[in-house]
Amino acid sequence: MFCNQCEQTAKGTGCTVAGVCGKKPDVAALQDLLLHAVKGLSLYAHAGRQVGVVDPEVNRFTCKAVFSTLTNVDFDPARFQELINQCVEITAQLKEKVARAGGNVSFADAAANFRPATDLAGLVKQGEEIGLVIDHDAETDIQSLQQIFVYGLKGIAAYADHAAILGQEDDKVYGFLHEGFAALTNKELGLNEWIGLVLKCGEINLRTMELLDAGNTGKFGHPVPTEVPLGHKQGKCILISGHDLQDLHDLLKQTEGKGIYVYTHGEMLPAHGYPELKKYKHFYGHYGTAWQNQKKEFAAFPGAILMTTNCIQDPKDYMDNIFTTGLVGWPGVQHVKNGDFGPVIERALALPGFASDEDKGSVMVGFARNTVMSVADKVIAGVKNGDIKHFFLVAGCDGAKPGRNYYSEFVEKAPKDSIILTLACGKFRFFDKKLGDIGGIPRLLDIGQCNDAYSAVQIAVALANAFECGVNDLPLSLVLSWYEQKAVAILLTLLYLGIKNIRLGPSLPAFITPNVLDVLVKNFAIKPITTPDEDLAAILGQ
Ligand code: SF4
Ligand code: SF3
């Protein structure tokens, strides 16, 4: 196997024996094969669009298939076998449709004519032979750009899937996914074309995240400042992790009146700020921290656990208590479908629950774009009178590497006249720190999940408009942490928006060659993090 798509990749170069994330070589091969099949499907879907053939089933399938290959989403070989066969089936149907409409259905690339092996072992072998979905004959810098591009597409597919679940779709997004995977078969594209496609990825991801924002806020209202207890109540309990608010909503409805408290874990924390979710009395508090601590935290949870996308880890110590839903999968874990959480509820009722109440303090959530913009005049006045000197967006993924302490130290050391905006699971390094306020505005503002990056962009744009300057001219610095491919897509969006001087850590992606890095440094002044002291001094010009 070879996989280098995430930040924790082995030795900083690539996982070759087994994934640091727990991905086994057979699943790695099946993921490669699935993307190969998606490339074939995309050739027909892209050709189909030229003659007016747009197939909703193909669109939704593409997102699901690609999202399944994201880090920490699906570890179950059987599910990949199903997806590969389904992909081949819908490709054949689409090919017929496109041919009937007079579109091009003659492609030389092997992906267009892919025939899957009949059993799992055969599929694994095919996947091993194919490897990564990029062009293996291209020169290394092009391969690097293709990898950035594919990981960006994975992020888009993930966000598009989240958005579609909430009823928000735009064919522009699906069209780009198909155009993008089809482009991987084009040997004529040079460095500049690939750089263009990579930035286009950022543009399309912005649109995708706008859809997701519309889905979340349209269904559940705009988040409002909300205090979330970190302790627990005596009684039966369910813990829900991941990013899917619709699953949480369905779970809350189904547990109403059953004497079960529902707690959030990881990226689900910001859900407490949504009016349509917080109205449920049994939606109590938050338990635990970021995804990489789940083995310890889930093992100690005395109730049932529901894992929505993404970031699951090996659940061997609590196999009977954990359930997956949506695209998440782990072999042997019970998978619940179609928003029917009956088995989760049954398990929660059978487990002891918390023996007594415990108060462990609280955190504030709900500072998404609407809340922040509603106090824009206060913020602007604070900047003008010098009370607020700087804004830091300390945001992104968490992970297991020790170097990630940088982010908590950075927040602790940030001057008292600065505001820290945060989003995604990296915040668990500092989310419970009491940083005080500046004239009533909390110094630590939780915008939401990584899924809410659109909200952060809107806040930055609104500030820039208020000060009649560009985002790069604001007293705002972005200090980002990445782990998986949603973060790659968000980073590309920031580059597409022309945002400069982003500090990125804890380490740079293994899939970026020195020449490609050079392009990023020259055009966007992107830089690796150093130490909190050094970076703060450089940012604040001290
Ligand atoms: Fe390795 Fe990350 Fe790939 Fe998992 S997702 S196999 S940890 S590079
Ligand atoms: Fe975290 Fe997986 Fe990226 Fe959503 S939960 S930010 S890593």
Side-chain angles (χ1 to χ4, degrees), residues 14 24 46 51 124 135 169 192 212 217 221 249 255 263 307 341 344 352 355 416 447 464 469 489 498 507 535:
K24 302 250 167 64
H46 183 53
V51 290
V124 169
D135 178 1
E169 296 178 83
N192 286 339
L212 178 53
T217 57
H249 179 258
T255 44
Y263 297 82
M307 198 73 209
F341 299 124
V344 186
K416 301 268 173 293
I447 299 174
C469 66
S507 58
D535 288 348

Side-chain angles (χ1 to χ4, degrees), residues 1 3-10 15 18-23 71-72 483 485:
M1 70 176 277
C3 181
N4 64 355
Q5 67 178 356
C6 82
E7 194 272 337
Q8 71 178 354
T9 195
C15 296
V20 176
C21 60
K23 185 158 84 180
T71 301
N72 287 348
Y483 171 65
Q485 300 79 51

Side-chain angles (χ1 to χ4, degrees), residues 72 159 243 267 291 310-311 396-398 424-426 449-451 483-484 486-487:
N72 287 348
Y159 288 131
H243 300 75
E267 279 282 65
W291 68 271
N310 31 317
C311 284
C397 310
D398 207 349
C425 65
Q449 302 178 337
C450 65
N451 288 27
Y483 171 65
E484 32 71 11
K486 281 179 169 178

Side-chain angles (χ1 to χ4, degrees), residues 267 290-292 394-399 404 407-408 411 422-431 448 450 481:
E267 279 282 65
W291 68 271
Q292 78 281 357
V394 184
C397 310
D398 207 349
R404 288 182 183 267
Y407 297 95
S408 41
V411 166
T422 190
L423 58 85
C425 65
K427 67 168 152 267
F428 287 106
R429 303 245 160 196
F430 49 81
F431 80 130
C450 65
S481 53

Side-chain angles (χ1 to χ4, degrees), residues 36 39 43 107-111 130 132-139 142-143 146 179-194 197:
H36 179 70
K39 189 167 75 171
L43 282 165
F107 301 105
D109 196 276
I130 280 158
L132 296 183
V133 74
I134 56 168
D135 178 1
H136 295 263
D137 300 325
E139 54 137 318
I142 294 210
Q143 285 194 22
Q146 288 182 343
E179 182 192 338
F181 277 103
L184 292 166
T185 66
N186 186 345
K187 292 185 180 289
E188 306 299 313
L189 303 178
L191 273 180
N192 286 339
E193 280 99 348
W194 279 109
L197 277 168

